[in-house]
Amino acid sequence: MSTVIASCTRGAQALTERPTAVEGTGRAGDLVIARVIRVGAYPRVENTHGRDVRIRPGDEIVGVLGERHSTTSIYGGLPEGGLPVTAGAPADLLAVGGVIGTAASSPASLGPATALELVGLAADGQGRVISLRPRTAPSAPATPVVFVGGTAAEVGKTTFASALVHQLAARHGMRVGVTKLAGTGRLRDLLTLADAGAHCAADFVDAGLATTYGHPADTVVGAARHLVGRLTEEGAEIVVAELGGDLWGAGIPGILRDPGLAAAARALVLVPSDTMASLGADAWLTQNGITIPPVHGVPHRNVLAARERVGRGMGVELVDPHDEDDLERLIAGLRQPVAAGAR
């Protein structure tokens, strides 16, 4: 039997290598110890070093209780009054990063969630439950921000953001701060952004949220402000901020409508699943009163066909993150001040 301390626990201050288990009612952000009963949708758990570790029945996971409302993966969460945590109680692995709760739905392509039994809430030496504590800020600095969002998971948001970070850092010599502001916590995405040449990096797990699903909008927005402020204090001249999942969920609308973050934003890069999604995302921004200037990325399809269809149908130019001229055109626009309310 082995124990994996999941990456979503890294925002906890009091976590030891061998926390004790206590019973109680668990709520979002509480750390929990669980034993693998049946391996299902996720046969691996990402540890605090960003490495995916294979799990087997009998292995233990130290994870975090929370919600996940994915449209492409597992949907699940916690009861309204909290999850009763007693030895042997059932639970599910909702995400590779170690979010644990009760699965309500899983795509047929993934199969059922990896089944767990609870050992107990993770506690320190004094028996106090260890929890993630959100770090929020009342305002955001004026440091330029480029948001990178999409119409679904796995459409290429991290790929686009990484290419932009590399171009800003390597070609223009800028100190780039990178962050992921929303979604379900996983260290891999942040490490990928950092490896592209970032000056500093932090994400919502560092701000005390294992996932931004299920939290009040002001908590998610406050954490986003905190992260932009933290990266600014660490020397970032510009922040590239990825938004996980799709634009509808995970508290993202609140982030994009926040007056301070919107004023700092130079662009919202929209990475679509297909060309029709480009039109839908643009309409969604208007319907939701989001005024950050949109930049349309290229879908993971035929680039020439996508340019032709979106150009003819919407009158906009697509940005291909694999095309240096496209990135330079985008960066030239980022350097221009944005008028309030411009789109």
Side-chain angles (χ1 to χ4, degrees):
M1 183 191 78
S2 63
T3 299
V4 182
I5 299 178
S7 62
C8 279
T9 67
R10 58 193 161 90
Q13 300 299 307
L15 180 61
T16 63
E17 287 190 8
R18 292 187 177 275
T20 58
V22 300
E23 295 189 344
T25 300
R27 292 178 171 80
D30 290 343
L31 270 63
V32 67
I33 305 168
R35 185 175 295 114
V36 178
I37 297 300
R38 185 189 68 251
V39 176
Y42 299 128
R44 290 175 171 77
V45 173
E46 183 186 68
N47 67 14
T48 52
H49 301 290
R51 178 172 169 262
D52 287 355
V53 179
R54 183 178 176 184
I55 52 175
R56 299 171 175 83
D59 289 345
E60 290 188 350
I61 301 167
V62 180
V64 184
L65 295 179
E67 306 270 338
R68 189 183 191 190
H69 301 166
S70 175
T71 60
T72 57
S73 188
I74 293 177
Y75 185 107
L78 307 171
E80 187 174 341
L83 181 70
V85 179
T86 57
D92 298 297
L93 180 63
L94 303 183
V96 173
V99 176
I100 292 173
T102 301
S105 177
S106 180
S109 59
L110 279 180
T114 291
L116 312 171
E117 66 174 15
L118 299 174
V119 177
L121 293 164
D124 62 18
Q126 286 71 49
R128 295 171 299 199
V129 175
I130 303 169
S131 300
L132 300 183
R133 301 297 182 193
R135 299 170 184 84
T136 63
S139 61
T143 307
V145 178
V146 182
F147 293 109
V148 181
T151 60
E154 307 299 330
V155 293
K157 297 183 292 292
T158 305
T159 297
F160 196 113
S162 298
L164 179 58
V165 170
H166 183 266
Q167 194 75 0
L168 287 166
R171 178 77 178 267
H172 295 270
M174 298 187 73
R175 296 191 301 274
V176 185
V178 295
T179 184
K180 192 170 182 180
L181 296 181
T184 303
R186 186 167 188 188
L187 186 55
R188 181 189 65 181
D189 292 342
L190 187 65
L191 293 176
T192 299
L193 294 174
D195 288 346
H199 174 76
C200 48
D203 68 356
F204 57 83
V205 179
D206 295 308
L209 300 174
T211 166
T212 60
Y213 292 103
H215 288 282
D218 59 348
T219 299
V220 177
V221 173
R225 296 183 194 129
H226 162 80
L227 288 165
V228 175
R230 170 175 167 172
L231 296 173
T232 300
E233 290 174 358
E234 293 180 8
E237 299 173 284
I238 188 170
V239 172
V240 175
E242 183 179 342
L243 306 168
D246 60 47
L247 297 175
W248 252 328
I252 291 172
I255 292 173
L256 297 177
R257 283 195 290 255
D258 178 69
L261 292 170
R266 291 295 182 266
L268 167 58
V269 176
L270 299 170
V271 183
S273 52
D274 55 38
T275 53
M276 289 296 292
S278 296
L279 181 60
D282 198 67
W284 183 88
L285 294 181
T286 300
Q287 293 168 3
N288 285 271
I290 294 167
T291 58
I292 301 170
V295 172
H296 289 270
V298 174
H300 278 321
R301 308 283 174 135
N302 187 294
V303 175
L304 181 59
R307 289 189 193 276
E308 178 186 277
R309 292 191 184 189
V310 175
R312 183 176 64 241
M314 297 177 61
V316 299
E317 290 186 77
L318 297 183
V319 177
D320 181 357
H322 304 293
D323 187 314
E324 188 167 332
D325 290 338
D326 276 14
L327 287 176
E328 283 300 304
R329 175 164 51 84
L330 170 59
I331 290 170
L334 300 180
R335 291 176 175 272
Q336 300 299 317
V338 176
R343 266 213 64 190

